[in-house]
Amino acid sequence: MGSVIAMSGKPLFMNRYSRLMIHRITGSSYGNADDMEEAGKVIMSLESDLISIVSEKTGISVDDVKARWFDGKDHWFTAQQALDAGFVSGIFDGVKPAVLPKDNVKASALYQVYNALLNPHTDMNKLFKSLALQARQMKIN
């Protein structure tokens, strides 16, 4: 499910040290033959959806996606390989994206909050207030 979630990001950035892995859907089931058959149907449906998502994300035909990456093996991508294949929009170093989408104010604001969380000098009470959260019952050092 990780790749389904990742492929849903728009835009999607990868840390330069991260990896993306794609493979056929796997799962397990317990029960009688009807339960097993139903589990198989769910797995096939999820796999079909994932193949469609990957096809749309990369611009590669459904048949080619199946042949390349849904052959029963795990396929690992570095950030650069994922970018080259069309899985991601960009690569970032550490916590600072190399390119923020200029037309997406929310992404920029989210980055600001995330960066502030990682900064040890951040006044957490101000951060909570700016996020409309209450810091009650929390001791912030």
Side-chain angles (χ1 to χ4, degrees):
M1 287 311 294
S3 58
V4 172
I5 295 167
M7 293 297 117
S8 299
K10 292 182 181 181
L12 177 62
F13 291 88
M14 276 180 74
N15 181 289
R16 70 180 171 137
Y17 299 111
S18 63
R19 297 290 186 269
L20 175 72
M21 193 257 291
I22 293 183
H23 60 87
R24 293 193 70 190
I25 302 292
T26 57
S28 62
S29 179
Y30 175 82
N32 60 40
D34 293 336
D35 297 328
M36 300 295 176
E37 185 177 5
E38 182 60 28
K41 288 177 184 176
V42 169
I43 288 171
M44 295 304 291
S45 175
L46 288 170
E47 186 165 290
S48 177
D49 289 347
L50 180 56
I51 290 168
S52 293
I53 291 167
V54 170
S55 175
E56 288 177 25
K57 191 82 167 174
T58 62
I60 298 170
S61 75
V62 167
D63 290 337
D64 285 346
V65 166
K66 280 173 122 176
R68 285 185 195 186
W69 300 311
F70 290 83
D71 57 358
K73 298 175 185 173
D74 293 343
H75 297 274
W76 289 91
F77 299 85
T78 65
Q80 187 61 54
Q81 290 167 332
L83 180 65
D84 293 344
F87 291 118
V88 298
S89 309
I91 300 170
F92 67 94
D93 185 12
V95 297
K96 184 177 178 184
V99 179
L100 278 174
K102 294 178 183 176
D103 59 341
N104 193 335
V105 176
K106 289 181 184 178
S108 180
L110 180 62
Y111 166 73
Q112 302 274 341
V113 170
Y114 178 68
N115 191 46
L117 286 170
L118 297 176
N119 184 339
H121 304 292
T122 299
D123 181 338
M124 295 303 287
N125 286 313
K126 286 181 185 176
L127 179 62
F128 286 136
K129 187 175 180 180
S130 71
L131 293 172
L133 302 173
Q134 294 181 354
R136 64 188 153 142
Q137 298 180 358
M138 295 184 73
K139 291 190 177 189
I140 301 171
N141 297 331

